[in-house]
Amino acid sequence: MPLTSEPAVTEAAPAGEPVPQRAGPPGPDDPTALKVVPVRHPWRWVGVAVTAVLLAQFAHGLITNPAWQWGVFARFFASETVLRAVWVTLQLTVYGTALGFALGLVLALMRLSASPFLRWVAFGYIWAFRSIPLIVQLLFWFNLAYLYKRLDFGIPFGPGLFHLDTMGLVGAMGAAVLGLALHQAAYAAEIVRAGVSSVDGGQLEAAAALGIPRLRRLRRIVLPQAMRSILPNASNEVISLFKGTSIVSVMAIGELFYQVQVIYGRNGQVVPLLMVATAWYILLTTVLSVLQHYVERHYAKGAAR
């Protein structure tokens, strides 16, 4: 008699011989006798139905409500004035992104430097420009000529060799680009620093032990891995900067939001003109998101499965 309740282990059939089947109906413990029933998700279907009805109602309201004035929207969406404003918005985004990330790269290298002085200078810059609201920075740069009539270049604390008149040097557009770039640099520096820090230092030590030059280590080892961490955050910053260009409307620059305000200030068609700006922001943000997808996919080669 067995001393435990475990079922006895049946002996395996010799190789080449068929496995004997048990005669009669399947037992209650036989898995083949169980009936397979699909899992029901009734509340999921309820959620889908409610969401679909709400979306349909929203779309119906957009189409049938005459207050949206889609005729006015269609007349101004691709008008020459709006297209010029879109071009100014794109210029502000490109200049702010290029200058901001170039300066951010320098600040990130200073933050990663072995010099405590450079690290503290970079930390102070990032702390200051992230603490001050962007609109305040823009107004400061816009009023630079009030603070400094001219900029002297020459011997430090000594006589200047030549000078530039700030009144003609920094106009409204220049002040906007300067403010956006300096503000963007503070965030870009932290994004780049975090991306570089995410690369395991042991890989660089192993590459150095193999005699790989420093520049090739950065280009072949650090950059591809760091870009996978940098790109998503950097893309979000670019999109935020693109939408944030609307804040320069306080400086009367003819970007998209300011120009729309000027138009509806004349004709009183507030809602359709705001929809024009909204549609352009959505369209261009979608283009940037698609570009982000392809760039991320490029740098994910060899890592994504």
Side-chain angles (χ1 to χ4, degrees), residues 19 50 71 103 113 124 154 164 173 192 205 213 247 278 295 297:
V19 178
V50 171
L103 180 58
S113 169
L164 297 175
M173 188 70 176
V192 175
E205 295 174 359
I247 203 170
T278 302
V295 175
R297 194 175 67 173

Side-chain angles (χ1 to χ4, degrees), residues 181-207:
L182 294 178
H183 181 78
Q184 187 68 25
Y187 292 92
E190 288 300 276
I191 292 173
V192 175
R193 184 184 67 85
V196 174
S197 300
S198 66
V199 181
D200 186 11
Q203 299 183 29
L204 293 178
E205 295 174 359

Side-chain angles (χ1 to χ4, degrees), residues 92-94 96-98 100-101 129-130 134 180-192 229-245 285 288 292 296:
L92 289 170
T93 304
V94 172
T97 300
F101 273 88
F129 279 84
R130 289 199 307 184
L134 176 58
L180 292 174
L182 294 178
H183 181 78
Q184 187 68 25
Y187 292 92
E190 288 300 276
I191 292 173
V192 175
S229 301
I230 292 173
L231 276 176
N233 296 323
S235 302
N236 287 334
E237 281 299 316
V238 174
I239 292 174
S240 298
L241 179 64
F242 167 68
K243 294 182 294 184
T245 54
T285 301
L288 291 175
Q292 173 191 357
E296 285 185 11

Side-chain angles (χ1 to χ4, degrees), residues 277-298:
T278 302
W280 274 111
Y281 282 124
I282 292 176
L283 178 63
L284 295 176
T285 301
T286 304
V287 173
L288 291 175
S289 300
V290 172
L291 290 177
Q292 173 191 357
H293 169 73
Y294 283 105
V295 175
E296 285 185 11
R297 194 175 67 173
H298 171 74

Side-chain angles (χ1 to χ4, degrees), residues 74-85:
R75 190 168 75 248
F76 284 98
F77 179 75
S79 64
E80 184 181 353
T81 305
V82 172
L83 291 180
R84 281 203 304 267

Side-chain angles (χ1 to χ4, degrees), residues 103 124-144 147 170-172 174-187 241 247-248 250-251:
L103 180 58
Y125 178 94
I126 295 170
W127 167 76
F129 279 84
R130 289 199 307 184
S131 302
I132 304 173
L134 176 58
I135 188 171
V136 178
Q137 296 180 38
L138 291 172
L139 293 176
F140 265 121
W141 292 115
F142 189 60
N143 293 283
L144 180 64
L147 297 172
V170 183
V177 172
L178 193 59
L180 292 174
L182 294 178
H183 181 78
Q184 187 68 25
Y187 292 92
L241 179 64
I247 203 170
V248 305
V250 298
M251 301 162 67

